[in-house]
Amino acid sequence: DDDNIVEEIHKYKEKNYNKYDTFLLVGIGGSSLGTIAIKEAILGKLHNELVMKNKRKGYRFYALENIDASYINDVLSLIIPKKTIFNIISKSGKTAETISQFEIIYDILKKNSINPTEHIVITTSPKKGELLEIAKEEGIKYFPIPENVGGRFSVLSAVGLLPSAFLNIDIKKL
């Protein structure tokens, strides 16, 4: 139910918002493109720069949406893992690129003695997939992607609503 997911996202945001200053989305295609479009349409392309120069309040937002090693390294060099929430998104829960980036992030957190369960949130199928198994085994918070919603149409599910909430976009109105 749409109202329930919005309420659950709001509760999660209230509990976690003040712990971090950066939101890093990890997902490709429909798992990232819609959220990037919402962020740019509402906050503009220069949102991160404005936040970093203290001309705007809020979270910085980055998306790892491909497996370009230099891009991944550049993004990871811009963040402070202890101040970042990592949203791993894959409807199937087994997208190879997303799983490999998840493993990189998980290792970075572990190497820096940071509890991954406090910094990672997963958005995936509620029924199957490697990410769902990891979330349940590790005790990582996860949000479901409705089974009847395809990736490119998922922006108005937890896929886009969770990051939008952390960017202080009114997800109820959205």
Side-chain angles (χ1 to χ4, degrees):
D1 177 86
D2 293 343
D3 288 335
N4 287 343
I5 196 68
V6 168
E7 185 178 317
E8 190 177 342
I9 289 170
H10 277 298
K11 285 179 185 175
Y12 182 78
K13 178 188 170 190
E14 282 178 28
K15 180 180 173 192
N16 292 286
Y17 188 81
N18 291 322
K19 297 178 185 177
Y20 313 106
D21 64 13
T22 303
F23 193 100
L24 193 136
L25 183 155
V26 179
I28 63 171
S31 294
S32 62
L33 295 174
T35 301
I36 293 168
I38 286 174
K39 182 257 201 197
E40 289 184 3
I42 295 174
L43 302 174
K45 287 188 178 278
L46 299 178
H47 171 74
N48 287 345
E49 290 81 355
L50 293 168
V51 170
M52 290 188 314
K53 291 192 176 265
N54 294 316
K55 294 186 183 239
R56 177 180 289 165
K57 292 186 189 256
Y59 269 47
R60 293 182 301 146
F61 173 86
Y62 298 99
L64 294 182
E65 55 181 328
N66 63 56
I67 57 168
D68 177 346
S70 63
Y71 178 75
I72 293 169
N73 285 331
D74 287 347
V75 169
L76 293 176
S77 75
L78 292 172
I79 66 164
I80 300 168
K82 196 172 199 164
K83 296 293 289 173
T84 302
I85 186 165
F86 300 89
N87 185 200
I88 315 300
I89 305 172
S90 168
K91 182 171 181 184
S92 70
K94 60 184 182 181
T95 307
E97 298 87 347
T98 303
I99 296 293
S100 67
Q101 291 170 341
F102 165 78
E103 290 172 353
I104 290 167
I105 289 164
Y106 193 90
D107 286 346
I108 288 169
L109 294 172
K110 284 295 212 182
K111 285 178 185 170
N112 286 286
S113 300
I114 299 169
N115 183 350
T117 64
E118 294 177 9
H119 289 263
I120 295 173
V121 58
I122 292 173
T123 308
T124 192
S125 166
K127 295 184 179 180
K128 62 185 185 311
E130 188 175 335
L131 282 177
L132 181 64
E133 290 174 25
I134 291 168
K136 288 180 175 180
E137 287 172 14
E138 298 286 328
I140 296 172
K141 174 68 175 167
Y142 68 93
F143 287 94
I145 301 173
E147 293 295 319
N148 63 342
V149 176
R152 70 183 65 188
F153 303 105
S154 64
V155 69
L156 296 179
S157 71
V159 169
L161 296 178
L162 178 64
S164 294
F166 274 83
L167 289 169
N168 292 319
I169 294 169
D170 185 336
I171 64 171
K172 185 81 169 160
K173 285 184 181 178
L174 186 62

